């Protein structure tokens, strides 16, 4: 099957197949059944508080900036992305100054 997300819509083509694509089973990053239950209960109970994101131990938890992005409605996320893009551009400009 093939999927394409376009502005909230999803197109699924069930009869489009590529025999050269190797199917890989997904990695089970949650692990135990107990953790899966905790994750589902936390997500279903209040997905907006992000407690479910902390069920899995990780060396790289979400940053405050990422959580701010997730906490906004999709239509209100553009200012965060604009600020991030501007920061990257500014960093590139500074790096170019150092190299020239």
């Amino acid at each position: 099957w093939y999927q394409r997300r376009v502005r909230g819509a999803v197109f699924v083509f069930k009869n489009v197949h590529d025999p050269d694509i190797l199917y890989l089973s997904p990695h089970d990053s949650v692990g135990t059944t107990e953790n899966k239950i905790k994750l589902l209960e936390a997500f279903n109970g209040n997905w907006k508080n992000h407690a479910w994101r902390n069920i899995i131990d990780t060396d790289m938890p979400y940053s405050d900036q990422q959580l701010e992005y997730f906490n906004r409605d999709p239509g209100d996320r553009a200012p965060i992305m604009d600020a991030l893009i501007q920061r990257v551009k500014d960093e590139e400009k500074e790096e170019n100054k150092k190299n020239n």
Side-chain angles (χ1 to χ4, degrees):
W1 61 271
Y2 174 78
Q3 166 190 312
R4 174 75 176 136
R5 183 175 176 176
V6 180
R7 293 187 184 230
V10 175
F11 299 103
V12 178
F13 302 97
K14 293 181 180 181
N15 295 321
V16 176
H17 299 279
D18 184 341
D20 295 328
I21 295 177
L22 176 65
Y23 174 79
L24 300 175
S25 297
H27 172 71
D28 184 0
S29 60
V30 180
T32 67
T33 300
E34 180 181 342
N35 278 351
K36 290 174 185 172
I37 291 169
K38 286 180 186 177
L39 189 147
L40 287 170
E41 287 176 346
F43 182 84
N44 289 334
N46 185 359
W47 63 270
K48 285 188 175 184
N49 79 0
H50 302 288
W52 58 273
R53 295 183 188 274
N54 299 322
I55 300 297
I56 302 167
D57 290 328
T58 179
D59 295 336
M60 297 178 63
Y62 286 106
S63 69
D64 291 339
Q65 187 177 24
Q66 287 169 309
L67 291 175
E68 180 185 357
Y69 177 85
F70 294 141
N71 281 329
R72 293 193 184 204
D73 289 331
D76 297 330
R77 293 176 176 170
I80 294 174
M81 294 305 299
D82 293 341
L84 177 62
I85 290 167
Q86 187 59 51
R87 190 181 86 203
V88 169
K89 286 180 179 179
D90 292 345
E91 290 172 359
E92 287 175 347
K93 191 181 292 184
E94 287 298 315
E95 189 65 30
N96 287 335
K97 284 182 184 178
K98 289 178 187 178
N99 293 331
N100 291 330

